[in-house]
């Protein structure tokens, strides 16, 4: 599909008003998206596990305006409170998607959104938030055309979500989601995420993700700034090639359930992401001393126990612990006894691989 396929020709019905509600999960990248071109086109392809417990729930009430306005008309409640500071992000999102959702200036929208995880946890809510909002808008659009096939519905939802936040396009559908054009991955595109199209061993279908909240404060450098620093980055080109190669490696790892190789790719991706931050100009560090303390403990535990516990990081100090469900008992014991001490106020979130967004 190309971008223009997402521009609707006309609407059959113009609904006066209504309400839709969706919940969309967060996701954690195994091969990282870091670096982008114009219009939210990723510099390299990425793949992620969809999460289950960490979600955003968004409802949108819409009411037709007497006449089409020049500006977007919406109000926003976050966890029951009006949040003016969140509005510019939505405004930017609406501007980017207006071409594809032409009814945006014909309605007033009341957006009500909340997360199942604490907002101040340092877990990015932009992926689940933009995914949930995009699904609400698609749900409204669906009511205005006579027929829309489900495949198109989800593709366009992911396409819109990408324009809100790149990683959000991986929070729509599927347990393992691939985004970004890749020669060896059939159906892959820069425009939206697709459910991973090749065989995946059962062991990955119940994978666990325990998120250790190392630092709950605001990040010192936003993802958007970080992505931009990949332009003219001294190691940028090599890094994009590495991500490409890691996706090729993962294909047989996913199929065969090879956990040792999985660990090598996933941890290397996490550390490379942070290495890119440390080697950009200006350089910055988002890990905290306890991030490193946890990594050392994980390596020690893995050496001694031969269990398949590994870590990944997103653009922050928190640590995602990934492990197979059948090793949960031993790993949870280790987490409680050895790792919680490194978490801010002892806080952590137990999650697992999930299956995508749902209408409520
Ligand atoms: C480190 O999707 O938050 O989590 O497109 O600017 O909104 P924008 O960036 P964002 O970047 C996520 C980066 C990452 C890696 C990943 O999820 O692939």
């Amino acid at each position: 599909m190309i971008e223009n396929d997402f521009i609707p020709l006309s609407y059959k019905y113009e609904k006066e008003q209504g309400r839709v509600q969706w919940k969309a999960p967060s996701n954690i990248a195994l091969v990282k998206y870091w670096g982008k071109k114009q219009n939210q086109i990723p510099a390299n392809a990425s793949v992620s596990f969809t999460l289950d417990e960490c979600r955003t729930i968004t409802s949108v009430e819409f009411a037709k305006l007497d006449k089409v306005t020049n500006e977007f008309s919406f109000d926003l409640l976050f966890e029951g409170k009006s949040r003016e500071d969140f509005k510019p992000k939505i405004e930017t999102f609406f501007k980017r998607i207006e071409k594809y959702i032409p009814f945006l200036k014909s309605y007033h929208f009341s957006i009500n959104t909340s997360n199942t995880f604490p907002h101040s946890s340092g877990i990015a809510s932009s992926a689940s938030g933009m995914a949930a909002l995009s699904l609400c808008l698609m749900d409204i659009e669906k009511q205005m055309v006579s027929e829309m096939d489900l495949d198109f519905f989800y593709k366009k939802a992911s396409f819109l979500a990408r324009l809100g936040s790149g990683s959000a396009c991986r929070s729509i559908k599927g347990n393992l989601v691939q985004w970004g054009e890749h020669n060896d991955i059939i159906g892959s595109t820069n425009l939206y995420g697709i459910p991973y199209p090749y065989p995946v061993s059962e062991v990955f279908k119940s994978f666990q993700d325990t998120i250790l909240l190392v630092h709950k404060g605001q990040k010192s450098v936003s993802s958007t700034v970080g992505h931009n620093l990949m332009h003219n980055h001294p190691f940028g080109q090599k890094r994009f090639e590495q991500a490409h190669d890691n996706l090729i490696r993962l294909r047989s790892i996913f199929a065969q359930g090879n956990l040792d190789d999985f660990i090598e790719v996933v941890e290397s991706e996490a550390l490379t992401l942070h290495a890119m931050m440390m080697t950009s100009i200006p350089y910055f560090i988002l890990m905290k001393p306890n991030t490193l303390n946890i990594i050392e403990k994980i390596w020690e535990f893995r050496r001694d126990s031969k269990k398949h516990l590994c870590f990944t990081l997103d653009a922050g100090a928190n640590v995602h612990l990934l492990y197979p469900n059948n090793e949960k008992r031993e790993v949870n014991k280790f987490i409680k006894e050895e790792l919680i001490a490194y978490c801010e106020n002892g806080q952590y979130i137990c999650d697992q691989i999930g299956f995508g967004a749902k209408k409520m």
Side-chain angles (χ1 to χ4, degrees), residues 221 229 275-285:
V221 179
L229 294 175
M276 290 300 113
M277 301 174 189
M278 289 188 237
T279 49
S280 59
I281 300 288
Y283 41 82
F284 59 104
I285 301 180

Side-chain angles (χ1 to χ4, degrees), residues 126-159:
S126 62
S128 51
M130 287 298 173
L133 182 55
S134 299
L135 284 156
C136 287
L137 294 173
M138 279 313 293
D139 202 343
I140 300 171
E141 176 163 90
K142 191 165 172 272
Q143 297 177 28
M144 299 199 195
V145 296
S146 43
E147 240 176 83
M148 183 185 289
D149 87 68
L150 263 187
D151 184 57
F152 177 84
F153 176 90
Y154 284 114
K155 278 181 180 157
K156 184 165 171 184
S158 174
F159 172 84

Side-chain angles (χ1 to χ4, degrees), residues 27 29 31-34 36 40 46 89 126 162 164-168 170 223-224 227 273 277 313-315:
N27 71 74
V31 171
K32 308 290 180 181
Y33 148 57
W34 197 243
K36 60 178 164 183
Q40 297 285 99
S46 58
K89 204 162 179 186
S126 62
R162 182 196 105 239
S165 178
S167 55
R170 299 187 312 238
S223 291
T224 306
H227 284 293
L273 168 70
M277 301 174 189
L313 308 166
D314 54 20

Side-chain angles (χ1 to χ4, degrees), residues 88 159 250 254 262 312:
F159 172 84
L250 276 177
F254 284 144
F262 175 80
T312 188

Side-chain angles (χ1 to χ4, degrees), residues 32-224:
K32 308 290 180 181
Y33 148 57
W34 197 243
K36 60 178 164 183
K37 306 176 195 163
Q38 279 236 307
N39 299 327
Q40 297 285 99
I41 298 300
N44 63 264
S46 58
V47 69
S48 56
F49 273 154
T50 304
L51 298 186
D52 194 31
E53 301 291 335
C54 292
R55 289 173 172 272
T56 297
I57 299 164
T58 299
S59 71
V60 175
E61 284 179 41
F62 56 103
K64 195 145 193 255
L65 297 166
D66 294 337
K67 58 177 176 32
V68 177
T69 56
N70 282 330
E71 285 173 6
F72 301 113
S73 171
F74 68 98
D75 48 70
L76 179 97
L77 290 184
F78 177 71
E79 286 169 0
K81 292 197 189 79
S82 170
R83 290 292 296 260
E84 288 302 310
D85 54 326
F86 282 16
K87 286 179 96 174
K89 204 162 179 186
I90 306 285
E91 187 93 28
T92 306
F93 175 51
F94 280 180
K95 270 191 206 134
R96 288 185 192 162
I97 65 168
E98 194 187 356
K99 185 171 162 195
Y100 307 101
I101 300 284
F103 62 78
L104 275 183
K105 282 185 177 154
S106 309
Y107 288 85
H108 177 78
F109 300 98
S110 296
I111 306 166
N112 198 333
T113 186
S114 59
N115 295 334
T116 56
F117 47 91
H119 177 59
S120 59
S121 60
I123 299 182
S125 59
S126 62
S128 51
M130 287 298 173
L133 182 55
S134 299
L135 284 156
C136 287
L137 294 173
M138 279 313 293
D139 202 343
I140 300 171
E141 176 163 90
K142 191 165 172 272
Q143 297 177 28
M144 299 199 195
V145 296
S146 43
E147 240 176 83
M148 183 185 289
D149 87 68
L150 263 187
D151 184 57
F152 177 84
F153 176 90
Y154 284 114
K155 278 181 180 157
K156 184 165 171 184
S158 174
F159 172 84
L160 297 176
R162 182 196 105 239
L163 293 171
S165 178
S167 55
C169 77
R170 299 187 312 238
S171 275
I172 302 284
K173 203 171 188 295
N175 48 4
L176 197 56
V177 182
Q178 202 275 343
W179 167 43
E181 212 169 288
H182 190 292
N183 299 343
D184 289 10
I185 301 178
I186 189 164
S188 64
T189 162
N190 287 335
L191 300 183
Y192 48 83
I194 56 166
Y196 189 70
Y198 298 116
V200 176
S201 156
E202 283 305 312
V203 70
F204 293 117
K205 294 187 180 162
S206 56
F207 238 64
Q208 304 292 302
D209 180 1
T210 301
I211 309 164
L212 303 179
L213 305 181
V214 171
H215 180 71
K216 302 195 295 166
Q218 194 77 19
K219 283 189 293 198
S220 54
V221 179
S222 74
S223 291
T224 306

